Amino acid sequence: MTDAPATDAPATAGASKESLTVRDNRTGVEYDLKITDNTIRAADLGQIKLGDQPGLATYDPGFVNTASCRSSVTYIDGDKGILEYRGYPIEQLAENSSFLEVAYLLIHGALPTKAEYDAWEHEITYHTFVHENVKSFMEGFRYDAHPMGMLMASVGALSTFYPDARNITDPDNRHIQMVRMIAKMPTLGAWSFRHAQGKPFIYPDNDLSYTANFLSMLFKMSEKKYGADERLVKALDTLFILHADHEQNASTNAVRSVGSTQVDPYSAVAAGVGALYGPLHGGANEAVLRMLRRIGSKQNIPAFIEGVKNGNEKLMGFGHRVYKNYDPRAKIIKKSAEDVFAVTGTNPLLEIALELEKIALEDEYFVKRRLYPNVDFYSGLIYEAFQFPPEMFTVLFAIGRTPGWLAQWLELVQDKDQKIARPKQIYTGERGLDFVPSSERWA
Ligand code: ACO
């Protein structure tokens, strides 16, 4: 803390270059706050006080300008359209890697050797089964239960099957719980889907790859073995890769916030599934499909675009809080869509989507506002081609995001800087009221 300068000397005189000088005009006092990694510590503002009031705090609903952690998992540069997991560009991972390898990368921080990958794949493959009681309670949901509600409840319930998961300080214990969760998510997700259809639950087929097994649990009927078309397996695997992490998004923040209480990882991930369930997070691709259906044909596009420009409509699947040039995931998904439609036949809505994109990318309204297709513009079309009902879209997102949630959880529990997440508030209510008993109030 320094006294306010009496002259017009620059406020930063004498202060370190890597600092921020703040002058409290209520008192005239100046403070030098250390800048590290282009941030100041919010706690350092606590020294700025007026009389006996509590120290100064920041007000940041939605954490739009607050870093809550240091992380080395995912890097995003929204202006340049860059997304990297552990330093590797998403384009290269989507093209050359597999979801299981990406899951390894996210959690371990480096790509596996052949022996490490084989061991990882073996572990995940042999933990795909769940306790029979999980099956019983999933059968107990109402016939029309939303699959995300079922997924959230069943992931949370796994904590009761693995009470040792509470021992989050033991690295081996953490490892086995992460393996179990990545392995069992497709089983729980597929069974949520089958339940709504009144179809029998299909057990995992451990001869199949991670994603091929998921498709088998979703769609197998009476055949001995379910062999999905390899192009569909690859497309879904790519979609899982694209959704595997996205730094401090709402559901990851929920996982970290709940995880900061040192609860077991199943409970923390259940919180992430809950956050993803919300329409502002995991639900936009469903809205894209509704929009495309409403537009109905190419002839109606100009009128729709006019509606967007007049503020009466929103072009769903366009725009992003972070990506302002393009969403790198959207480009990859567009390619996957072509591969899927080569197998399933073209979704008639694709024609409308392509034309909308073409017009929007040339139109000044969208260009000026830097609105580009985001990950959700084409993903719903692909999921529909797989014959998933819209309620399942977010379940697919959750399966893909699980390794990211776990990598972030692991980072959290190993980070000495982290504390229980407990924000401040600005209290706006009454104070010191005298309680009047109901016998007097209602007399
Ligand atoms: N259609 C039409 N206009 C839009 C759109 C859109 N999809 N998105 C933004 N705009 C306009 C806004 O009206 C605003 O215009 P103005 O300056 O004339 O007022 C301007 O572009 C800036 O938009 P903001 O709302 O400030 O951008 P923000 O970063 O807050 O919002 C968001 C980002 C929520 C993604 C927004 O673009 C949107 O609602 N898009 C449609 C929904 C969607 O596709 N969501 C999925 C996002 S990806 C994901 O979550 C996985």
Side-chain angles (χ1 to χ4, degrees):
M1 181 172 110
T2 52
D3 285 338
T7 66
D8 286 333
T12 48
S16 142
K17 252 189 142 185
E18 288 304 306
S19 73
L20 175 75
T21 302
V22 178
R23 180 189 162 95
D24 185 344
N25 290 322
R26 300 171 301 180
T27 58
V29 180
E30 283 187 1
Y31 303 81
D32 292 330
L33 308 178
K34 197 169 165 211
I35 297 178
T36 313
D37 297 326
N38 204 31
T39 57
I40 56 163
R41 283 201 168 244
D44 285 352
L45 294 171
Q47 63 185 299
I48 305 178
K49 288 189 173 165
L50 182 64
D52 58 359
Q53 282 187 23
L56 202 69
T58 57
Y59 176 58
D60 190 6
F63 306 126
V64 292
N65 196 28
T66 297
S68 64
C69 61
R70 293 173 178 279
S71 180
S72 61
V73 181
T74 288
Y75 175 80
I76 299 177
D77 183 331
D79 279 334
K80 298 200 181 104
I82 294 173
L83 169 61
E84 293 172 356
Y85 298 157
R86 300 286 190 185
Y88 294 99
I90 190 68
E91 293 81 0
Q92 292 182 24
L93 294 171
E95 181 76 27
N96 303 311
S97 189
S98 68
F99 177 63
L100 269 198
E101 188 177 46
V102 167
Y104 184 99
L105 171 70
L106 285 167
I107 287 170
H108 293 85
L111 288 168
T113 61
K114 166 95 173 81
E116 285 165 343
Y117 183 77
D118 289 346
W120 175 247
E121 188 182 37
H122 184 272
E123 275 187 308
I124 303 279
T125 305
Y126 283 87
H127 282 92
T128 47
F129 277 74
V130 292
H131 194 288
E132 277 296 290
N133 288 1
V134 173
K135 192 174 157 216
S136 318
F137 80 69
M138 288 187 83
E139 281 164 352
F141 278 95
R142 255 181 70 129
Y143 68 97
D144 59 351
H146 195 292
M148 272 302 265
M150 290 181 68
L151 185 68
M152 177 168 56
S154 48
V155 177
L158 288 184
S159 72
T160 67
F161 291 85
Y162 305 109
D164 55 322
R166 268 176 288 187
N167 184 6
I168 62 163
T169 52
D170 174 29
D172 292 340
N173 196 299
R174 290 193 299 244
H175 176 78
I176 187 65
Q177 311 308 339
M178 290 191 292
V179 164
R180 284 181 176 141
M181 223 170 320
I182 295 170
K184 294 179 199 311
M185 278 300 243
T187 313
L188 302 177
W191 288 4
S192 311
F193 171 73
R194 301 281 293 202
H195 180 73
Q197 305 201 328
K199 290 181 181 159
F201 294 172
I202 303 294
Y203 286 106
D205 181 343
N206 290 347
D207 290 341
L208 298 174
S209 72
Y210 185 86
T211 303
N213 169 50
F214 178 50
L215 287 168
S216 163
M217 290 188 289
L218 287 162
F219 298 120
K220 185 167 185 272
M221 289 307 289
S222 60
E223 60 272 47
K224 268 218 159 76
K225 203 155 185 80
Y226 184 86
D229 189 296
E230 270 310 310
R231 290 166 293 178
L232 296 184
V233 175
K234 170 73 186 140
L236 192 55
D237 204 71
T238 304
L239 281 158
F240 286 157
I241 294 175
L242 298 183
H243 287 93
D245 199 51
H246 213 229
E247 49 120 301
Q248 304 311 312
N249 57 89
S251 55
T252 300
N253 182 56
V255 170
R256 278 183 172 265
S257 186
V258 171
S260 78
T261 66
Q262 301 192 348
V263 74
D264 67 87
Y266 299 99
S267 304
V269 166
V273 177
L276 192 64
Y277 199 172
L280 290 189
H281 192 2
N285 45 17
E286 193 183 331
V288 172
L289 281 186
R290 277 201 304 272
M291 173 190 78
L292 294 175
R293 276 208 185 87
R294 198 155 51 81
I295 295 172
S297 75
K298 271 165 71 174
Q299 296 91 286
N300 299 333
I301 292 178
F304 177 80
I305 295 277
E306 270 319 295
V308 174
K309 291 191 199 170
N310 298 335
N312 300 325
E313 300 275 8
K314 201 164 212 184
L315 180 48
M316 297 310 289
F318 261 64
H320 197 277
R321 172 61 62 80
V322 178
Y323 297 118
K324 296 297 177 194
N325 253 330
Y326 67 92
D327 179 341
R329 300 166 301 173
K331 279 195 174 172
I332 302 166
I333 283 198
K334 197 172 168 185
K335 163 81 179 57
S336 286
E338 287 162 15
D339 297 344
V340 169
F341 296 147
V343 182
T344 62
T346 304
N347 187 328
L349 298 178
L350 177 68
E351 225 195 354
I352 303 174
L354 287 170
E355 185 66 15
L356 257 182
E357 180 185 351
K358 189 166 152 267
I359 293 177
L361 290 181
E362 287 163 1
D363 192 295
E364 208 216 318
Y365 174 94
F366 299 92
V367 174
K368 207 172 98 197
R369 288 170 178 77
R370 305 174 75 190
L371 301 172
Y372 297 86
N374 60 47
V375 68
D376 288 319
F377 193 64
Y378 287 104
S379 62
L381 286 173
I382 301 183
Y383 294 149
E384 199 172 64
F386 274 91
Q387 305 203 326
F388 288 119
E391 310 82 73
M392 269 302 283
F393 295 179
T394 332
V395 171
L396 302 167
F397 192 156
I399 293 171
R401 184 54 55 88
T402 299
W405 285 332
L406 291 171
Q408 302 267 354
W409 170 79
L410 187 61
E411 199 173 60
L412 165 92
V413 297
Q414 294 177 292
D415 182 350
K416 299 262 179 297
D417 252 7
Q418 288 296 324
K419 294 176 181 309
I420 184 167
R422 204 302 185 187
K424 276 181 176 294
Q425 64 166 7
I426 301 171
Y427 180 67
T428 59
E430 307 271 13
R431 295 279 326 277
L433 301 180
D434 280 324
F435 180 74
V436 182
S438 57
S439 56
E440 288 176 39
R441 275 180 288 132
W442 300 343

